[in-house]
Amino acid sequence: MPNIIVLVKQVPDTNAKIVVSGDRVDLSSVKMVMSPYDEFAVETAMKHKEAAGGEVTALTVGGAGADKILKDAKAIGVDHIVRVEASQEMDSNALQTVLAQAVTELGGEVVYCGKSAADTGAGSTGPGLAERLGWTSVSNVIGATFDGGFSVVTPSGGDHAKMSLSLPAVISCDKGDFKVRKPNVKGIMQAKRAAVDVRSIEVPASSITVVNQSLPPAKPAGKTYEGGAAAAEVANLLRDEANVL
Amino acid sequence: MTQTIVIAEMSNNAVHSSTAELVAAAKTFGGEPTVVVPCVDANQAAGAANMGAGSIIAAKSGAFTHYDAKGWASALDAVVPQGTLITGASPQSKDLAARLAARRGLSVVQDAVAIDGNNITSPVYSGKAMQTVSITGPAVISVRSNVFAPASGGAGEPTIVDTTGDVATSVQEFMARASERLDVAEANIVISGGRGMGSPENFVHLEAIADTIGAAVGASRAAVDTWEAIPHAMQVGQTGKTVNPNLYIAVGISGAIQHLAGMRSSKYIVAINKDADAPIFQHADYGIVATWEEALPVLHDSLKSMMG
Ligand SMILES: Cc1cc2nc3c(=O)[nH]c(=O)nc-3n(C[C@H](O)[C@H](O)[C@H](O)COP(=O)(O)OP(=O)(O)OC[C@H]3O[C@@H](n4cnc5c(N)ncnc54)[C@H](O)[C@@H]3O)c2cc1C
Ligand SMILES: Nc1ncnc2c1ncn2[C@@H]1O[C@H](COP(=O)(O)O)[C@@H](O)[C@H]1O
């Protein structure tokens, strides 16, 4: 019966307007939520437990404000909620070092996380944590099956590949074509009473520091073309200028 | 001066042309970057010639047959010199960048769009802000494509080095991508059709493009109200869904205020409409004045060739 850990991070609601004051993004009036892909990680962790038994622990590294998303995870049905106290800015190296130690302390055998956090957009944590633990990792996973061995589905070229792997492993979850469960009344009541297991782990120094944050340069005025052939040019601009493909 | 190493961006077992951009990015640190090509057959490294490298290493291993994060990171770590590593920013390359960084105890900066000395800029908060960080010592940096002008010249002949990797996963099967439609409210790209599509059957042209680029298909209220086959779940606008994708493509949609209410915050808007005076063009980043019959096939072909 696996000891399952799911990483959750608190981030600004993705619908929120991002404002900058001075040279930093100002999040003081922004609603904070669980990073969207982490919801798929929680769901997949719960499915793993249903199929194989064991217990699910939701783990976050952050300040006391992040207790809210741990309670959200508790309401959905995780067994334990753990927060490693940290308020400073951490680079990937520092964060992953802390997470690796926490996962080891908790005796985790499989870790689920989001494919990327909505604030950093990085996608570094899952593979980086796995490397530090010496574990297998698969990223951008859109589905997992637990019967007859462990396998996950991930995009590969234009298709999907079903990969089999053995534990221990870190699985970074993308949006799958399944619904994530919502908390029920009982879960919400339990979450209210649940205590967060707060731990402290020494944070190593970061070799990367934030210099400034700013709003992206204003969007240039629109361009208009005559005739359908221009669609080829527009496709190129979408890739090269807009960077949206 | 920092020693820099570029991990070649691979596509279909060949060095992808964007590798020359990564070399250009590496050159901003000074010196002559080494390009390391992960390959199964050393011939695959030939494509790295003339991309501005000081030297080329063909890292040859059976581990590079399919992407496996642990296998690739261990096989590359054995042959990649110490220094700052530059990779591409495709999902696979970002994954590799993170694993390689962790393997060497370095930090990683993903999706760089500018490098100025030791200051690296990348988008954060889904592109709603830009962040510049400063690195001290070696790091791993993934670089977005189409940012740096490709480097050229330099080394041609690779040095072949055999390596082995600790492959931890195996592919059971490849499956065609599921064609299940995404929800417009959750997709990063939405392509919507309006009454100008003429009939609900013509939405297959939108669906085909959606499948190519991983988009959801939406509709205007006029399309939903006129045609039973177009469900309300697809409706974008004041009385439909509000969407905030990176890219919104409006086809045969006039751009009424109630439609705009649901999509105007999209990061980029493309409009295809035969009427040059359609209000949608005032909100489009890229407008194409043409019928969809004319524009969509061209668009689809271009996107298909881009997506490879
Ligand atoms: C209270 C209220 C709420 C509403 N809520 C919504 C809502 O949620 N969402 C919404 O969309 N609307 C909503 N509407 C309706 C809205 O006002 C418009 O009527 C509707 O958006 C028009 O849809 P359309 O652009 O598809 O159709 P039209 O206005 O008929 O435009 C069709 C367009 O297609 C173009 N065209 C025609 N043939 C071609 C061709 N072959 N190739 C290319 N272009 C072509 C035409 O030039 C035209 O611009 C609401 C209205 C009200 C009053
Ligand atoms: N501070 C954190 N605490 C817990 N999990 C985190 C934290 N930062 C990142 N993660 C996890 O790692 C994923 C990817 O984050 P990132 O590498 O920043 O894109 C997130 O979706 C979370 O699941």
Side-chain angles (χ1 to χ4, degrees):
Chain A
M1 293 210 290
N3 183 347
I4 303 163
I5 294 180
V6 57
L7 304 185
V8 290
K9 185 181 188 189
Q10 194 189 34
V11 299
D13 189 327
T14 50
N15 290 320
K17 186 171 159 51
I18 295 293
V19 293
V20 169
S21 57
D23 58 3
R24 285 290 187 282
V25 166
D26 177 4
L27 299 176
S28 54
S29 55
V30 170
K31 183 180 164 213
M32 301 295 279
V33 297
M34 183 187 297
S35 188
Y37 294 116
D38 297 357
E39 294 183 15
F40 294 96
V42 171
E43 178 64 29
T44 313
M46 294 301 295
K47 286 203 175 97
H48 196 156
K49 173 182 166 170
E50 281 157 8
E55 296 199 325
V56 179
T57 301
L59 169 65
T60 196
V61 176
D67 285 351
K68 180 182 168 293
I69 60 156
L70 287 174
K71 299 235 172 184
D72 291 346
K74 179 77 189 168
I76 293 167
V78 306
D79 300 290
H80 310 287
I81 48 180
V82 177
R83 176 168 60 83
V84 176
E85 175 64 43
S87 45
Q88 67 270 54
E89 267 173 12
M90 277 185 252
D91 66 5
S92 63
N93 194 23
L95 173 68
Q96 292 164 21
T97 304
V98 169
L99 282 171
Q101 189 176 329
V103 169
T104 307
E105 273 180 20
L106 293 167
E109 291 159 275
V110 57
V111 172
Y112 290 95
C113 66
K115 80 156 178 180
S116 60
D119 49 359
T120 66
S124 303
T125 308
L129 172 63
E131 183 62 46
R132 283 187 163 76
L133 294 165
W135 293 8
T136 303
S137 64
V138 184
S139 297
N140 307 309
V141 163
I142 54 168
T145 47
F146 311 99
D147 45 332
F150 184 34
S151 56
V152 295
V153 178
T154 170
S156 163
D159 293 331
H160 290 154
K162 188 171 185 186
M163 326 257 281
S164 56
L165 64 149
S166 50
L167 301 183
V170 179
I171 307 298
S172 310
C173 299
D174 197 347
K175 179 182 184 320
D177 61 356
F178 49 81
K179 287 252 173 305
V180 298
R181 67 196 72 189
K182 297 285 171 211
N184 56 27
V185 176
K186 184 164 157 253
I188 292 168
M189 295 311 292
Q190 278 178 350
K192 276 205 179 119
R193 287 191 304 268
V196 177
D197 173 357
V198 181
R199 306 196 174 196
S200 73
I201 292 178
E202 198 183 326
V203 180
S206 290
S207 65
I208 292 185
T209 48
V210 176
V211 178
N212 67 58
Q213 294 171 325
S214 59
L215 292 179
K219 194 153 120 165
K223 300 177 183 162
T224 307
Y225 302 85
E226 299 280 337
E233 164 85 13
V234 169
N236 284 329
L237 290 169
L238 289 174
R239 184 188 58 185
D240 300 345
E241 187 176 81
N243 255 310
V244 288
L245 290 175
Chain B
M1 192 194 78
T2 321
Q3 170 70 37
T4 51
I5 303 93
V6 169
I7 311 296
E9 187 73 8
M10 302 301 286
S11 140
N12 296 322
N13 295 322
V15 176
H16 190 266
S17 56
S18 61
T19 303
E21 300 172 16
L22 304 180
V23 176
K27 284 190 163 183
T28 64
F29 291 97
E32 299 282 289
T34 299
V35 172
V36 178
V37 183
C39 54
V40 180
D41 173 338
N43 291 332
Q44 291 161 358
N50 271 317
M51 288 187 163
S55 61
I56 302 170
I57 298 174
K60 185 167 159 278
S61 173
F64 297 128
T65 312
H66 293 299
Y67 181 68
D68 174 89
K70 191 180 186 193
W72 281 49
S74 53
L76 281 168
D77 185 36
V79 300
V80 171
Q82 297 299 316
T84 286
L85 312 190
I86 308 285
T87 73
S90 62
Q92 176 180 312
S93 297
K94 286 173 66 174
D95 190 55
L96 179 65
R99 265 212 94 125
L100 275 170
R103 198 170 176 93
R104 295 191 165 183
L106 305 177
S107 276
V108 55
V109 183
Q110 304 276 22
D111 294 300
V113 294
I115 301 179
D116 176 11
N118 285 325
N119 284 355
I120 325 255
T121 304
S122 21
V124 289
Y125 302 104
S126 325
K128 290 186 211 164
M130 305 304 288
Q131 172 171 285
T132 300
V133 299
S134 145
I135 55 171
T136 34
V140 181
I141 305 165
S142 69
V143 175
R144 287 253 177 116
S145 54
N146 303 306
V147 172
F148 289 87
S152 61
E157 277 301 304
T159 308
I160 301 164
V161 184
D162 286 294
T163 181
T164 52
D166 187 6
V167 174
T169 60
S170 64
V171 176
Q172 284 178 303
E173 57 176 317
F174 287 104
M175 300 165 290
R177 204 201 296 246
S179 65
E180 181 142 331
R181 293 262 94 77
L182 288 165
D183 187 306
V184 286
E186 290 170 12
N188 285 325
I189 306 180
V190 175
I191 180 166
S192 292
R195 183 152 38 203
M197 291 306 291
S199 81
E201 288 76 31
N202 288 331
F203 273 67
V204 296
H205 302 288
L206 304 178
E207 285 163 9
I209 291 177
D211 287 344
T212 302
I213 55 177
V217 180
S220 71
R221 172 155 154 186
V224 171
D225 286 353
T226 315
W227 301 309
E228 214 167 300
I230 308 294
H232 182 260
M234 283 168 64
Q235 184 177 317
V236 173
Q238 191 184 307
T239 45
K241 289 180 178 156
T242 300
V243 301
N244 190 17
N246 283 330
L247 173 60
Y248 188 87
I249 308 177
V251 187
I253 293 178
S254 57
I257 185 78
Q258 296 89 350
H259 189 78
L260 292 168
M263 45 62 75
R264 71 188 318 160
S265 67
S266 306
K267 198 159 154 225
Y268 282 89
I269 297 170
V270 172
I272 299 175
N273 195 305
K274 68 176 184 187
D275 174 9
D277 295 326
I280 190 78
F281 285 123
Q282 282 154 33
H283 304 272
D285 299 273
Y286 305 111
I288 302 173
V289 182
T291 63
W292 63 262
E293 289 91 333
E294 224 192 321
L296 288 184
V298 179
L299 183 65
H300 195 197
D301 283 348
S302 308
L303 293 172
K304 266 195 290 200
S305 64
M306 268 178 206
M307 297 291 150

